[in-house]
Amino acid sequence: MAAKVKDGVLLYVDEQIDALRQHVPAALTQFDEKGVHQARVATRRLKAALDLLAEPAGAEAFGPLNRAGRKLRRLLGPLRDADVMIKNAEAYVAADRHKPALAWLTGVLRADRDRLRGQDAKKAKPVDKRLKPFDAWWSQRRAIEPQLAGIEPAIVARLAAQAEAFARDADALAGAGLDAVAARPTPLDVHDLRIDGKALRYTFELAQAHGVNVPKRVFKSFKAMQEALGEWHDFVVLAETTARCWTDKQLALHDPSLAEGVLGLVKLFLKDATKALGTFKSRWKRSGHGVLEVVARLQPTAPSPAAAVVIEPQTVLRPLPLDAPSDPAEPA
C-alpha cells in the first residue's frame, strides 16, 4: 500500500529502527563493516527525525530513544572511523618510496582496530538490551500520529533555516560572501560546517519522505557537495591519526628513515584534504545558491515516485514487539 503523505516521517522512523534491528547485531557481535556503517547512519537519521517530531510531541518525549541512539553512536563511531582509515590507507595510490610507510601505517591501524574490537567485546552487553529501548517507538507512534496533520510547514521551515545557515558558512568558506566573513564573531569551523551539512541532508530526506517535492537534481547537487566535505574529513582524520601514531610509537627514535616517510604521508593526506575542500568550494560557488533558491520556494505537496530521495539500500527486517501496531496497512 502506498504511504500516505501524513505518515511520511513516521515511516522514515520505522525504516531507521528496522535498520538498527538488522545491522546492530552484526556490527557489535561480528564487527561487520557494512553493519557498523549502516547502523551508525541509522542512528543519525533517527535522531534527525525524532528532533523534528519533538516539536509536536514535546522536548522529552523521545528521551529514552535518543539516549539509546547516542550510546550506539559512541560505540559505533570509533569502529567506523577505524574501518574508513584502514580502507583509505590500503587503497591509497602513492609512489614506491611511500609504500613502506603505508605498510607500516596500515599495520598500526589494523592493530589498533583489533584492540578496540577486543575492548568492545569485553564490555559488551547483550544486543537485545541495546535494542530494547527502541521498542517504545511503536506505542509513541500511535500517540503522535494524530498530531502530524500540520507538520509539513514545520519541515519546510526547518529545511529553509538549515539551508540558510549552511549557505552563510559555506559562502564564508568559499569566499563567496565577504560580508559574511567580516561579520563573523569567530573563525569558521569547517568541521561544524560538515556536521551542519549532514543535518541538512537528513532534513532533505525527511522532507521528501513526508511529501515535500524536493527536485532530485537539487538533492543530488547538495549530496555531491556534502560528500566533498566528507572526503575532506576522512583525509584530515587520517593525517591526524598518522601523526599521533608517529608520536606514540616514537618512530623518530627507533627508525628515522621510516619516520621521515610517515611524515611524508601526513603531508600527502593533508594535501588531499585541501583538494577535497577545494572541490567543495568550487561546487558551492557553482551550484550552492541554486540549491538555496529552490529550498526557499518549496511548498508541501504530494510525493511522486520520481522525486523520491534514494536512501542507502536497507533490507527491512522488523521483529516487532508484542505491543507493535497490528494494522494490516502497516508496512512489512
Side-chain angles (χ1 to χ4, degrees), residues 61-120:
F62 305 111
L65 271 71
N66 278 319
R67 286 191 289 273
R70 184 165 57 250
K71 289 178 181 178
L72 281 176
R73 280 195 300 279
R74 288 175 177 172
L75 276 175
L76 297 169
L79 292 170
R80 175 59 181 167
D81 289 345
D83 288 341
V84 170
M85 285 189 292
I86 291 169
K87 180 180 178 180
N88 287 340
E90 290 181 338
Y92 197 79
V93 177
D96 288 346
R97 68 180 182 277
H98 295 297
K99 290 183 179 178
L102 278 170
W104 177 86
L105 175 62
T106 301
V108 171
L109 292 175
R110 283 190 167 276
D112 284 347
R113 184 177 65 179
D114 289 344
R115 184 161 49 251
L116 178 64
R117 289 175 172 179
Q119 291 172 352
D120 285 351

Side-chain angles (χ1 to χ4, degrees), residues 3 24-25 32 47 79 99 119 134 140 144 187 190 213 215 224 256 309 312 322:
V24 166
D32 175 73
K47 182 181 185 304
L79 292 170
K99 290 183 179 178
Q119 291 172 352
F134 299 104
Q140 291 175 314
I144 197 174
V190 182
N213 187 13
V309 169
E312 296 166 32
L322 294 178

Side-chain angles (χ1 to χ4, degrees), residues 9 47-57 62 151 154-155 158 206-207:
V9 174
K47 182 181 185 304
L50 294 180
D51 285 349
L52 177 67
L53 291 174
E55 295 179 14
F62 305 111
I151 201 172
I155 298 175
R158 174 180 288 244
L206 282 163

Side-chain angles (χ1 to χ4, degrees), residues 44 48 68 73 163 241 248 273 295 327:
R44 293 188 180 279
R73 280 195 300 279
T241 302
D248 290 346
V295 169
D327 184 346

Side-chain angles (χ1 to χ4, degrees), residues 217-232:
R217 62 180 175 79
V218 170
F219 182 79
K220 182 178 180 181
S221 177
F222 179 75
K223 182 180 176 182
M225 298 178 211
Q226 189 241 333
E227 287 178 346
L229 286 176
E231 185 179 1
W232 164 81

Side-chain angles (χ1 to χ4, degrees), residues 1-82:
M1 178 178 291
K4 297 178 180 178
V5 176
K6 73 181 182 66
D7 295 330
V9 174
L10 300 180
L11 293 172
Y12 186 91
V13 175
D14 293 348
E15 289 176 359
Q16 308 322 313
I17 293 179
D18 291 338
L20 291 176
R21 289 190 174 280
Q22 179 186 353
H23 295 295
V24 166
L28 296 184
T29 61
Q30 304 167 31
F31 301 110
D32 175 73
E33 293 182 23
K34 178 182 177 182
V36 169
H37 175 53
Q38 296 288 1
R40 188 189 187 198
V41 170
T43 65
R44 293 188 180 279
R45 286 179 168 143
L46 180 61
K47 182 181 185 304
L50 294 180
D51 285 349
L52 177 67
L53 291 174
E55 295 179 14
E60 297 301 320
F62 305 111
L65 271 71
N66 278 319
R67 286 191 289 273
R70 184 165 57 250
K71 289 178 181 178
L72 281 176
R73 280 195 300 279
R74 288 175 177 172
L75 276 175
L76 297 169
L79 292 170
R80 175 59 181 167
D81 289 345

